Amino acid sequence: MKDKRRYTKLSLLLDKKLGLFEELIKLSRKQTGVIEDENWDGLQSLLDKKEVLMQNADKLEEKLKPITEKIINNYDLNRDNWVEGIQGITEIPENIKSDIKKLDVMIRELKELHEQSVKDIEGKREELNEVMIKLQNGRRANNGYNNTQRIYSTFIDQKS
């Protein structure tokens, strides 16, 4: 009886967490387009929404952790690979196994999307740095040519 209650609670918590992760994935996919368009205000808005969802997921995880720890300990599962280990346990309902597997897949997808976003932002940052360096060099050359205190003729900019 106690296990049934635990599994019911686990199932409800997993359903809520799946919903949060679906929203996180949607926002992460939107984030890719926003970065590409260099819409930094839109990016901040998406990041704020994602932060709220992640905080809610963390709260759910606090409730899930004792239940999953108990399952891991009761069935002597490997902590690093317990998601795979749980699949072979017949006493655990199939819907819970399925939800845990879905969460694992979603977490991996979120990691990939996050890594891609970081790469995209880093690329945009490098592009902006290059443009700023060119602007500074151009301004320096322009200031040198417009200097009225120059006594002799000089070339300040460099040949590319």
Side-chain angles (χ1 to χ4, degrees), residues 42-98:
L43 177 62
Q44 186 60 52
S45 173
L46 285 175
L47 291 175
D48 291 342
K49 290 175 186 176
K50 284 176 65 175
E51 180 65 28
V52 170
L53 290 173
M54 288 188 286
Q55 288 173 354
N56 291 337
D58 288 343
K59 289 176 186 173
L60 277 176
E61 186 59 33
E62 287 176 18
K63 295 176 183 177
L64 278 167
K65 189 83 169 159
I67 299 170
T68 55
E69 284 293 322
K70 194 160 214 141
I71 291 171
I72 290 169
N73 291 333
N74 285 349
Y75 295 103
D76 196 32
L77 298 172
N78 180 349
R79 289 194 185 285
D80 296 331
N81 197 16
W82 72 274
V83 173
E84 291 300 322
I86 206 171
Q87 300 303 317
I89 301 171
T90 57
E91 296 147 5
I92 297 176
E94 289 300 318
N95 66 322
I96 290 176
K97 292 180 195 178
S98 174

Side-chain angles (χ1 to χ4, degrees), residues 3-38:
D3 278 348
K4 268 192 170 187
R5 249 189 316 202
R6 182 182 305 131
Y7 291 142
T8 302
K9 184 177 180 182
L10 178 59
S11 181
L12 291 172
L13 291 172
L14 288 173
D15 285 343
K16 288 180 184 178
K17 195 166 181 179
L18 280 169
L20 290 174
F21 275 58
E22 286 172 1
E23 283 299 311
L24 280 169
I25 288 173
K26 283 181 193 175
L27 292 175
S28 294
R29 288 180 181 151
K30 282 184 184 178
Q31 184 175 317
T32 303
V34 169
I35 292 169
E36 187 62 37
D37 295 341
E38 296 182 14

Side-chain angles (χ1 to χ4, degrees), residues 112-156:
E112 289 174 10
L113 289 169
H114 175 73
E115 289 170 3
Q116 185 59 48
S117 291
V118 169
K119 285 180 186 176
D120 292 346
I121 289 173
E122 189 65 29
K124 294 291 181 184
R125 188 181 68 79
E126 288 175 10
E127 287 175 23
L128 289 172
N129 282 344
E130 289 174 13
V131 169
M132 288 182 66
I133 288 170
K134 286 180 183 177
L135 283 172
Q136 287 174 344
N137 288 340
R139 188 176 331 148
R140 195 175 303 129
N142 194 21
N143 287 341
Y145 281 120
N146 291 329
N147 187 353
T148 57
Q149 297 177 355
R150 237 178 343 135
I151 298 173
Y152 54 90
S153 173
T154 56
F155 288 103
I156 296 159

